[in-house]
């Protein structure tokens, strides 16, 4: 596996350096050993750990510095992986179907957008906008702001369950989006449908200091975001693993399996569900701050219902309650959306433009409406239908570990 990883890395660095279909296939081939090495229980650690570290810390940064498109893809995968891990706490661990999860993502994004942009200076007055280096302080603050928002949502609705809970959370997500779209009067808080632009970025001075003629500042800025995302993914994974094996994690599992039995065993339902909602929301709020900083622009369209469904599709595809599966689902859905479908569309457009023929039929006759990137939701829907039929527990099902008397937790 080590030789394969090195060979594919060299091909991606020196041969397949573009964004075409073949280049995308080479990039995906590089991610295969990463997925294999991430199974620390089955993969030999003497092989898996070096491969895992090499791909994340060497191969992807080198490839990304040559073509920042791949760093952007890796950053988007990381953002959605943490979002999916947050939603996995609510849906996968606690069994609470939340269809408005993207609202907490919007809370974090607008928090940083308002305090770090010229719009914030007009709204908040002296002392604003904050400089880019305040990003890390606001990211920590977003944990508590988003968690508080999640708790406020949970207080009135967590006595509901099943379809009723799903409908209410869906409504909450739409309320946040509509508020962001309309809070431009009488006091202009969100700038309405025009969105907020010129959002500050962190560590721009560092990127400028490292800039050279061959590696300009924007490439170093992308690498900085990659490092930040990688750190946040590591923190999210460790937090999920600790929560999964803790007493509160066992309580979530009991509630997911049978609320009545869990309550009979002394588990406080409302408080335990509130913790799940607040914890998942905290993950989303932090990534919202990062998303706003990277995009330097936010608008209500970035937080519509389809985004919540997309994150839910990631955890269903990967496997409810499976940390490794959720991350795999986030990677597959994001890469399919950002790379594979767009590469297929670009390839078909090239064949159409050149009039390529096969068996006497010319691609010039192919309708322009027939582009895979236009059928993203249809393709995701078909994938989910296939998953429900053939792999209902996901690509990487969650493994239940036995509980011994020594490590069994008790919730009071």
């Amino acid at each position: 596996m080590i030789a394969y990883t090195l060979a594919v890395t060299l091909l991606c660095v020196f041969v397949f350096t573009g964004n075409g279909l073949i280049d995308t296939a080479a990039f995906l081939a590089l991610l295969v050993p990463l997925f294999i090495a991430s199974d620390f229980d089955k993969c030999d650690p003497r092989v898996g750990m070096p491969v895992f570290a090499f791909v994340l810390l060497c191969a992807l940064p080198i490839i990304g510095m040559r073509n920042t498109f791949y760093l952007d893809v890796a950053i988007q995968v990381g953002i959605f992986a943490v979002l999916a891990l947050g939603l996995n706490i609510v849906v996968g661990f606690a069994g609470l179907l939340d269809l408005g999860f993207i609202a907490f993502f919007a809370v974090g994004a607008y928090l940083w957008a308002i305090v770090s942009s010229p719009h914030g200076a007009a709204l908040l007055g002296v002392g604003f906008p904050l400089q880019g280096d305040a990003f890390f302080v606001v990211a920590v603050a977003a944990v508590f702001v988003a968690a508080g928002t999640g708790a406020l949502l949970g207080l009135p609705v967590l006595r509901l369950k099943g379809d009723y809970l799903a409908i209410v959370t869906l409504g909450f997500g739409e309320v946040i989006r509509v508020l962001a779209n309309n809070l431009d009067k009488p006091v202009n808080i969100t700038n309405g449908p025009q969105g907020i632009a010129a959002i500050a970025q962190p560590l721009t001075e560092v990127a400028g200091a490292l800039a050279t003629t061959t590696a300009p500042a924007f490439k170093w800025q992308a690498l900085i975001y990659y490092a930040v995302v990688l750190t946040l993914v590591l923190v999210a994974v460790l937090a999920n693993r600790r929560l999964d094996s803790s007493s509160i994690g066992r309580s979530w599992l009991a509630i997911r399996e049978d609320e009545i039995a869990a309550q009979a065993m002394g588990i406080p339902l409302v408080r335990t569900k509130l913790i799940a909602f607040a914890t998942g929301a905290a993950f989303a709020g932090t990534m919202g701050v990062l998303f706003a900083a990277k995009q330097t622009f936010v608008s209500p369209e970035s937080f519509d219902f389809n985004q919540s469904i997309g994150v839910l599709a990631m955890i269903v595809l990967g496997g409810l309650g499976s940390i490794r599966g959720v991350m795999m689902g986030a990677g597959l859905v994001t890469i399919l959306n950002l790379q594979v479908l767009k590469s297929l569309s670009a390839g078909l457009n090239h064949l159409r433009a050149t009039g390529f023929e096969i068996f006497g039929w010319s691609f010039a006759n192919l309708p322009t409406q027939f582009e895979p990137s236009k059928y993203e939701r249809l393709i995701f829907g078909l994938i989910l239908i296939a998953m429900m039929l053939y792999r209902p527990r996901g690509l990487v099902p969650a493994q239940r570990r036995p509980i011994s008397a020594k490590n069994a937790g008790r919730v009071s």
Side-chain angles (χ1 to χ4, degrees):
M1 187 166 63
I2 294 176
Y4 169 85
T5 304
L6 291 173
V8 175
T9 301
L10 292 174
L11 288 174
C12 290
V13 171
F14 297 108
V15 181
F16 303 115
T17 59
N19 303 335
L21 192 57
I22 297 178
D23 306 296
T24 299
F27 181 71
L28 292 175
L30 178 63
L31 301 182
V32 172
L34 181 63
F35 171 70
I36 296 173
S38 65
D39 190 354
F40 300 120
D41 294 330
K42 296 182 180 179
C43 184
D44 186 349
R46 294 172 297 179
V47 176
M49 289 301 294
V51 168
F52 191 78
F54 173 78
V55 172
L56 289 179
L57 301 179
C58 296
L60 286 179
I62 292 172
I63 295 169
M65 289 296 281
R66 292 182 65 88
N67 185 350
T68 53
F69 172 76
Y70 291 106
L71 271 184
D72 288 337
V73 171
I75 292 167
Q76 291 291 338
V77 169
I79 289 173
F80 282 104
V82 177
L83 280 176
L85 287 170
L87 184 59
N88 188 51
I89 290 175
V90 182
V91 180
F93 290 175
L96 307 171
L97 184 54
D98 184 355
L99 296 182
F101 187 72
I102 207 68
F104 309 117
F105 187 54
V107 168
Y110 270 99
L111 175 65
W112 176 244
I114 291 172
V115 302
S116 67
S117 66
H119 173 75
L123 175 66
L124 302 173
V126 180
F128 294 91
L130 299 179
Q131 298 301 310
D133 292 342
F135 166 86
F136 300 100
V137 176
V138 176
V140 174
V143 172
F144 299 99
V145 173
T149 306
L152 287 176
L153 167 65
L155 281 172
V157 306
L158 283 183
R159 296 187 185 277
L160 303 174
K161 56 185 178 180
D163 297 340
Y164 301 101
L165 177 62
I167 292 170
V168 172
T169 54
L170 186 156
F172 174 75
E174 286 300 290
V175 164
I176 294 295
R177 184 186 64 81
V178 172
L179 280 175
N181 201 49
N182 291 279
L183 280 180
D184 56 346
K185 51 184 178 293
V187 178
N188 188 1
I189 298 176
T190 64
N191 209 30
Q194 297 180 5
I196 300 176
I199 300 170
Q201 295 183 295
L203 302 178
T204 52
E205 297 85 359
V206 175
L210 295 173
T212 62
T213 54
T214 56
F218 76 90
K219 289 190 175 183
W220 287 106
Q221 190 69 49
L223 189 61
I224 288 171
Y225 282 128
Y226 174 75
V228 173
V229 165
L230 202 60
T231 303
L232 291 176
V233 169
L234 177 62
V235 171
V237 170
L238 291 176
N240 268 255
R241 290 180 66 88
R242 295 289 294 176
L243 287 169
D244 187 28
S245 58
S246 67
S247 60
I248 189 66
R250 299 297 181 183
S251 300
W252 288 335
L253 177 62
I255 290 173
R256 186 187 72 187
E257 296 300 329
D258 192 324
E259 282 193 13
I260 297 176
Q263 191 172 25
M265 293 297 294
I267 295 175
L269 293 183
V270 174
R271 189 183 75 182
T272 307
K273 289 180 180 180
L274 274 179
I275 295 173
F277 255 80
T279 306
F283 281 75
T286 304
M287 300 318 291
V289 173
L290 178 62
F291 174 80
K294 180 184 179 299
Q295 299 296 114
T296 68
F297 173 78
V298 296
S299 66
E301 287 75 19
S302 301
F303 312 105
D304 61 7
F305 175 65
N306 286 332
Q307 296 294 334
S308 289
I309 295 300
V311 179
L312 182 62
M314 294 172 187
I315 65 175
V316 171
L317 177 63
L320 286 171
S322 169
I323 298 172
R324 181 166 171 259
V326 165
M327 297 187 66
M328 179 185 177
L332 287 176
V333 171
T334 306
I335 292 173
L336 180 65
N337 181 23
L338 295 181
Q339 279 191 275
V340 177
L341 296 182
K342 286 181 172 57
S343 297
L344 286 173
S345 296
L348 287 177
N349 288 332
H350 176 72
L351 293 175
R352 186 188 297 113
T354 57
F356 181 78
E357 293 187 2
I358 181 170
F359 300 117
W361 183 81
S362 175
F363 273 85
N365 300 322
L366 187 70
T368 57
Q369 292 82 3
F370 189 75
E371 292 185 11
S373 61
K374 294 182 179 180
Y375 298 95
E376 171 193 333
R377 299 299 169 187
L378 173 63
I379 293 171
F380 287 165
L382 293 175
I383 290 174
L384 290 178
I385 290 172
M387 290 299 301
M388 292 300 98
L389 291 175
Y390 302 108
R391 297 278 296 188
R393 295 184 60 201
L395 294 174
V396 185
Q399 301 293 327
R400 293 189 178 180
R401 296 185 299 276
I403 307 174
S404 64
K406 182 184 296 185
N407 61 20
R410 182 174 181 270
V411 180
S412 58

